[in-house]
Every structure is written in structure tokens, then in C-alpha cells.
Amino acid sequence: MKLHFHGGITLFTITFITLTLLLLSTESTQPPFACDTTNPQTNSLPFCQTTLQIHQRVEDLVSRLTLDEKISQLVNSAPAIPRLGIPAYEWWSEALHGVSGYGLGVSFNNGRISGATIFPQVILSASTFDARLWYSIGQAIGKEARAVYNEGQAKGMTFWAPNVNIFRDPRWGRGQETPGEDPLVVGKYAVAFVRGFQGDNFEGNNNNNNINGHHHLLQASACCKHFTAYDLDNWNGISRLGFNAQVTQQDLADTYQPPFKSCVQQGKASGIMCAYNSVNGVPNCADYNLLTKTARGEWDFHGYITSDCDAVSTMHDILKYANVPEDAVADVLKAGMDVNCGSYLKTYTKSAIDQKKVLESEVDRALHNLFAVRMRLGLFNGDPNKQLYGNIGPDQVCTNEHQELALEAARNGIVLLKNSAKLLPLSKSQTSSLAVIGPNAANAYALRGNYDGPPCKNLEILKVIQGYVKNTMYNQGCNAVNCTFATIEDAVSVAKNADNVILVMGLDQSQETEDHDRVDLTLPGQQESLVKAVALASKKPVVLVLICGGPLDVSFAKDDQKIGSIIWAGYPGEAGGIALAQIIFGEHNPGGKLPMTWYPKDFINVPMTDMRMRSDPSSGYPGRTYRFYKGTKVFEFGYGLSYTTYSYNFIATTPNTIHLNRLMSSIQSTNESSSSSSSSSIPYMSVSKIGKEICEKSKFSTFVGVENTGSMAGKHPVLMFVRHGKSRNGSYEKQLVGFESVSLNAGERAKIEFVFNPCEHLSTANEEGLMVIEEGYRYLVVEDKEYPINIVL
Ligand SMILES: *[C@@H]1O[C@H](CO)[C@@H](O)[C@H](O)[C@H]1NC(C)=O
Ligand SMILES: *[C@@H]1O[C@H](CO)[C@@H](O)[C@H](O)[C@H]1NC(C)=O
Ligand SMILES: *[C@@H]1O[C@H](CO)[C@@H](O)[C@H](O)[C@H]1NC(C)=O
């Protein structure tokens, strides 16, 4: 609605009055918050008593609902129950890397908050390998989310983030949303983000336990999605909606499930979303083993489980798993799903009960989980502004602190991929003219990635660079990111006249996004020709900046001497332009490292639908991710340069022989390999047999020395891998077991401690999906240094 339209004022006023009357009339039946202490009709109800346990309050609440009221609550847009003073609630809001307007819960145009801090898209924050930073980001977003709620601009406090699926295939349109391809990194990201977002401290304790009886009061509710083995959106006509992922027990155990386990067990996320796809023939939302046995049982999940949007109807309409709609409803409620994003459960639960496919008690089970989360959010404690998080106001959104954090994340995430002859950093004073070329140079929107929100600030790269070098010329180079048409001659003539040239190329959401996977790994359209022509014509080697979530095969640029530097900037968020300029002009020393493998372009010969992580040499299947992929790489996982140099050494490991046999004197047989399949002759022991206590006792420490041997201060993560002394069929090439970010001045040294639990860090999944520890040597690896550890069973 346009407020400045003169001719429309009368009409607008009438509309406004009508709207106001409507709002007033619904307000009398729709309470703004539950358990209003000034309302004598509801304030004495047991479910409003904050001194009672949440499960008692929920029990009371559910017992008061009619069957129709109960059914109405099983969908994301849950209506009010005015007779009990319960307001409407919207379960669907998004906050992947900033509070977002995607979803139905949050609105940025009906109040004082019109934007939020938009952090880098997750894949770039991941490349900082800095769990404290991830925690701070989660904390800031959770706080802004609460401010939006307090301001009356949110109809719910449940946000469907983080996305903790493994970035299995480089073509995946949503790989950008994830922390990359490594299960340890993704798990640690999940834990840090969720703790920050929900209001726990970094170590995982809730600061707000039992304040005025508010047990586990959540700042905002996070959701681990998409459970599980979801990493294909829409590829070659194959859609996530109907995809049946064939996944081995081994890959589930050591790749697909660990991030979810961490998100739930250590992060204590209060939500899970089950994914559209099936796994081995069973739709995720209908999988009792997954939702109830594994998540709630083994992992002790307390929270609600939502379907992805319309993922119940698709079980009937697309997957044909349910013959009639009522079967789909029965399948998901029996499996342990609680709320349906969509309307299927509203439409078909009554008939499912009438047909005796669903028991009312099964609906009650779901409602318990749903109302418990709303209560944990403090939404049944009376006036929200009088509560623990009630004083978080609009002034807490887009604060300098949050915007500085967004800048820090972008700066520490950006990865320097090539810097031959030390082309970078450019000197601000000695660069008299610059040419900035490319379709992503003057597009602030492209810097944000998907699931963004309206940002605090909108800054394109070109504008920021013009602030450094006044004489900066610009040519877009391509009609759009798809570059179906390139203005090569114009770009070349602009480049020829400049001291230095910066090309800002890559992808955007027209190339990779939700429901849209790529079909190739090269730069779109004529981008490559443009880059080569400009590089050839330029006075000096050029700087190539890649804006993209998924990796690109830029081998041509790696090998081209006229392309001096390559920078990967992901989708760096609202402060991305500033971060990039600070790196280009040497105000910041880059330290980010790639959180995913960059494959050569012929990797597209591998069907995206093949979920196997492990290679299969007999059929030429190369395997996936740095852990199993055996082919050539454009850039490796963990790769990233700096303006300085670092050296590493192992200082000590105590002990370097782990005698599990001695620790386990009470356990008889240590050789289980006779009971395993024929592929192994290496003795091993299952982690569950070793037991938690012995696992704890067998922990050991490794100290690594790091020295900044160059001439510039820098911050970078130290990545610790492990590899097997003897590898066998199905073992990883190497596996990340720890990472720690360290800041060092030129010439400074530090000693970093890594603590390992063999059961966690030195185990692998066997073919049955059992975590086992094999006997023999492992090598701890940091860059070019190795250190042996001997495991004796
Ligand atoms: C290329 O992008 C432009 C701008 O988004 C669009 O109008 C055009 O249809 C695209 N061309 C192709 C072939 O996709
Ligand atoms: C364990 O069993 C395997 C196969 O049965 C055998 O080759 C190996 O020598 C045994 N190892 C020990 C330590 O007993
Ligand atoms: C290796 O393991 C795979 C299963 O992961 C199996 O299909 C294959 O037959 C095994 N190969 C050998 C040589 O044992």
C-alpha cells in the first residue's frame, strides 16, 4: 500500500478505518498474549501457573481442548482459542543468517523494525572455522528475533534454522545454506548456532534456568533441518518432493546423521524438521525409527517436529506412499511428527480419527510437544514485555555491535585461493586507477544469498571500492549473472585504462537456490571468456572475485598467469562489500579456509542422485567430499592462503599409545573382527561395547605449536585431521577431528591443545552402521606435519 499517493487518501483512510475496526473486533476475541494476569477468566487456569512444571501445564491445557480445537493446532498457522485466552500462533519463521521475511511469522512492514542484520550466508561463516563466532552470530540473530516479536511484528518465535545437511554434491542449490561438507564442522556449527540463538551460553548451559520458575526459557526456538539425507532440490527433472535417497547404514552413521545428533544432543535444539525425501523407501516424516526411536529415544530430543512445507500431502500425492490422505496423517502422527507445515492435518485428521486410523491420544502426544515449546518460549506467562526477554526492543536490532559482527564474519570467512607474485594486497595510495568489472560488482542483493531478510544496510562492492580509489571505472561485462550476452570489447577498453582490474563474477540465486540445483560447475554463459579477455588486455595481472555458494571449476584461472589473485567470497552478507575491500587493500589479512571440495567440471558425470559417500573403483564412482573422493580437485577442503605464512609442529601427545585393552580389563574378548563381514582383517571394537566411561578415560591431548613466520598479523584456523596407517575398503582418506582459530602477530607463536576421545575422534562406521575403533596406527595431520598414535585393543 502506497502512503504517498495523493488521490488515494480518501480511499486509504476508509480502508484504514475498516482495517482498524476489523483489528479491534478480532482483538476482543483474539488475545494478544496468553495467560493475561488481568483476565480473571484465564489467569487462574492451571496451565497459566508458572510455578507448575511445563509438563503439568501442558497436560492441563490439552485436557481442556475439544477435538476440533486440538486438530486446528496441528498445522503451522494455528488459530486462536479465544475461550481459553490462547492467541493464534505461526510456527513458520526463518532466520538462517539473519531474521528473514521468508515464512509466515515475521513481517518487516508493520512496525518500527524494517530490517535486520544480515550475516554472511552460512557457507561463508563456516569457512572461519570459528565456533565462538558462530555462537555470537546465533546469539545476535536470536536477540533480533526476540526484538521483532516484542515489537509485535512476529506471530511466532519458532525459526526454521539451522540447515545442517551435509553439502554432499557441489551442484546442490542449497549447499550455500549449510556449513559445508564435513560432518564435524556442520555438527559444531549447529551446536554453536543453536546455543547462541536459544539463549544458552557457549558451553551449553542455560543462563536463565529456573528464574521465577521459568524452566529453560528460550530466547528463540531453533530447528535442525532437514532430517535426514536431504541434499537434492531439483536436478535434471528430479525433485526433492519425490526423491527416494538410497543411503547405506555406514554413510548414515558417519556422514548424514552426526550433525543432527550434535544439534539435538549438545545444541539442545527445540525443533526438528523432517525432510521431503524418503530414505530407503520410507518418507522421513513417516519414519518412526528416525523421529521417535532415534531422535527422541537415543538422542533424548525434547521439542517439536515439523514437516517441511506440504511434506505430508506429498506422501500421498507424489510419493504414493499413502493410499488415502488419512493414511498419510496416521503415518506421520504415529511416527512422531507434531505439526504439519501446510493444511493436510487440518483437513484430514478428523476423518482419520473417524476411520480409526488415528487415536485422539496420538493427537494429544503431538500437542504436548507443541504447547511445551510455546511455554518454553515464555508465551504462556502473561505480558511478554514483563518477562526475561521482554526488554529487548527495536534498538537491539541492527546495532553497531551486530553489524560489526557481520563484517567480522565476512572478513574472517573470505578465502584467498590464489595470490601469485603477491599481487594482493593492493596499495590504496599507489593505485591511481581501478577498473571494476562484472555482473556481481554493483548488486548488493546478490551478496546476501537465499533466506535473507531486508538488511540494515545495502552496500554493493563497487560503491565501497570507489571509497578507496576515487578513479574507479565500472563495466558490468555481462547482461546478467547468466551472462548470455557479454560486452567484452567495452570491458576490455575499461580494463586497459586502469592500473589494476578487479573482476566480480560468479553466481547468484538465478543459478543456485532452493528448488534449483546446477547442472554444471563452470562459470555461467560467457563469464569465462570475459575474464580471459580482460585479463589478457590488462596492464597487470587481475584480481578475480567469485561470489557463489557452491564451488566452481575455475582451473582456467588457476593456470592463467594474467589472473594474479582469486578470492572466494561466498555470499558475504550485508557487510560483504566492506570486508572484501578491506582484504583487497590489506586492512585485513584473509584467513578463511574452504569448507567444501572444489571439483573439476567433469564431476557432473556422477549422477547427483547417487548418495554413496564412499568411492567404488570397480564402477568408476569417485566418492564424495575430501573424506572419500579420490579424483583430482580444483581446490581442496581446508585450503586457503594468507598474506602471511605460518609454520606448525607437534609438541607432544600424551600418551601416544592408547591401550584400550588395559582400560577395558573387565571386558573379555577384544577381537570382534571374526563377527564382521569379510572385508576387514583388522581387529576392531565397537564403541558401544567400550562404553562411555572407558571412552572418557581414554581421552588424550595433543599440543600443536603455530608460528606466524611472515610479516603481517593474522587470524586463521588450525585444522587437525587424522588418517589411517592402513586403509581398508570404506575408510576415509582423512577426517577432520578438530579445529581452532588463532590470532597471531608477525613472529608470534602459540600452543594449541586438542583433546581427543578415541571413541569419538578415531572411530569409523562399519558396513552395518556401527561405530567401531580399529586397531593400529593413526596419523594426526596438521598441514605438512604428522604425528603417530597407536591404538592397541
Ligand atoms: C538471463 O538473465 C536475465 C536477467 O535475469 C533474464 O532476463 C534472461 O531470461 C536469462 N536468460 C536465460 C537464457 O536464462
Ligand atoms: C582377530 O581376528 C582376525 C580374524 O579372525 C585375526 O586375523 C587376527 O589375528 C585376530 N587378532 C587378534 C589380536 O587376536
Ligand atoms: C567395499 O565396500 C562396499 C560397500 O561399502 C562393497 O560394496 C564392496 O564390495 C567392497 N569391496 C571390496 C573389495 O570388499
Side-chain angles (χ1 to χ4, degrees), residues 248 250 614 616 679 729-730 767:
T248 67
Q250 191 173 30
R614 275 122 174 129
D616 179 8
S679 62
N729 187 24
E767 280 155 35

Side-chain angles (χ1 to χ4, degrees), residues 141-155:
I141 299 174
K143 193 184 237 185
E144 295 198 358
R146 182 57 83 160
V148 168
Y149 181 82
N150 288 344
E151 188 61 10
Q153 292 180 238
K155 293 182 279 180

Side-chain angles (χ1 to χ4, degrees), residues 113-380:
I113 302 172
S114 56
T117 312
I118 302 306
F119 291 89
Q121 181 57 294
V122 178
I123 190 75
L124 191 75
S125 292
S127 54
T128 65
F129 288 84
D130 184 346
R132 287 213 171 252
L133 180 74
W134 301 334
Y135 172 81
S136 301
I137 291 173
Q139 201 178 30
I141 299 174
K143 193 184 237 185
E144 295 198 358
R146 182 57 83 160
V148 168
Y149 181 82
N150 288 344
E151 188 61 10
Q153 292 180 238
K155 293 182 279 180
M157 277 300 286
T158 36
F159 293 83
W160 293 351
N163 180 342
V164 297
N165 293 116
I166 293 295
F167 196 169
R168 173 186 62 91
D169 189 292
R171 290 162 283 189
W172 187 28
R174 302 185 78 177
Q176 60 177 302
E177 295 176 27
T178 74
E181 72 183 24
D182 179 73
L184 181 82
V185 176
V186 179
K188 291 213 171 190
Y189 179 88
V191 172
F193 179 89
V194 170
R195 285 177 179 173
F197 191 77
Q198 295 196 153
D200 284 359
N201 64 21
F202 182 70
E203 283 73 30
N205 305 309
N206 196 300
N207 300 325
N208 308 312
N209 272 353
N210 298 316
I211 292 180
N212 303 329
H214 299 168
H215 309 285
H216 305 285
L217 199 53
L218 300 166
Q219 174 173 253
S221 163
C223 170
C224 321
K225 73 185 185 186
H226 313 77
F227 198 38
T228 191
Y230 168 88
D231 47 32
L232 174 148
D233 264 62
N234 196 340
W235 172 78
N236 255 353
I238 295 161
S239 158
R240 56 184 178 168
L241 303 181
F243 181 52
N244 176 21
Q246 297 288 344
V247 186
T248 67
Q249 291 308 309
Q250 191 173 30
D251 289 341
L252 263 181
D254 67 8
T255 298
Y256 296 104
Q257 295 294 62
F260 286 96
K261 187 177 177 186
S262 302
C263 194
V264 165
Q265 276 190 332
Q266 293 160 261
K268 301 219 167 11
S270 47
I272 289 178
M273 176 187 287
C274 48
Y276 289 113
N277 57 290
S278 299
V279 171
N280 302 329
V282 183
N284 278 309
C285 295
D287 192 342
Y288 176 85
N289 282 331
L290 186 70
L291 306 187
T292 298
K293 212 164 140 249
T294 303
R296 291 199 190 279
E298 283 168 39
W299 301 345
D300 199 26
F301 172 64
H302 293 280
Y304 75 100
I305 301 179
T306 182
S307 74
D308 205 334
C309 294
D310 291 330
V312 184
S313 65
T314 53
M315 284 172 46
H316 170 257
D317 301 345
I318 295 174
L319 288 166
K320 312 282 180 209
Y321 182 79
N323 288 327
V324 293
E326 287 78 8
D327 285 340
V329 169
D331 287 341
V332 296
L333 286 174
K334 286 179 199 299
M337 198 197 83
D338 303 312
V339 64
N340 169 210
C341 180
S343 57
Y344 221 59
L345 259 62
K346 186 164 80 184
T347 314
Y348 296 109
T349 302
K350 188 76 194 303
S351 47
I353 290 175
D354 290 345
Q355 293 166 26
K356 306 225 173 335
K357 292 186 176 199
V358 169
L359 298 171
E360 188 168 343
S361 62
E362 287 162 340
V363 172
D364 290 352
R365 178 204 57 72
L367 294 176
H368 274 90
N369 295 327
L370 293 172
F371 283 108
V373 168
R374 289 171 67 175
M375 286 185 187
R376 288 170 63 195
L377 283 161
L379 307 184
F380 282 77

Side-chain angles (χ1 to χ4, degrees), residues 728-786:
R728 63 180 190 91
N729 187 24
S731 34
Y732 46 72
E733 302 288 300
K734 60 177 183 175
Q735 165 72 60
L736 189 73
V737 285
F739 52 88
E740 199 63 54
S741 192
V742 56
S743 279
L744 294 172
N745 289 320
E748 196 184 354
R749 297 160 187 252
K751 189 165 115 173
I752 306 175
E753 182 179 14
F754 290 88
V755 180
F756 296 120
N757 175 338
C759 301
E760 204 181 310
H761 299 105
L762 302 181
S763 61
T764 43
N766 72 6
E767 280 155 35
E768 288 84 48
L770 204 65
M771 296 310 290
V772 300
I773 301 186
E774 293 171 358
E775 181 160 274
Y777 278 92
R778 305 291 193 288
Y779 292 87
L780 297 174
V781 184
V782 173
E783 298 288 335
D784 56 340
K785 299 295 190 310
E786 292 201 339

Side-chain angles (χ1 to χ4, degrees), residues 62-123:
V62 174
S63 75
R64 291 171 190 278
L65 302 179
T66 66
L67 182 58
D68 286 342
E69 284 168 343
K70 286 178 181 178
I71 289 169
S72 75
Q73 298 297 308
L74 296 174
V75 291
N76 61 297
S77 300
I81 306 168
R83 68 181 184 90
L84 295 173
I86 299 172
Y89 187 82
E90 176 55 57
W91 287 91
W92 180 15
S93 296
E94 302 284 353
L96 181 68
H97 55 116
V99 181
S100 164
Y102 285 73
L104 301 176
V106 170
S107 166
F108 283 103
N109 39 30
N110 66 343
R112 283 185 287 175
I113 302 172
S114 56
T117 312
I118 302 306
F119 291 89
Q121 181 57 294
V122 178
I123 190 75

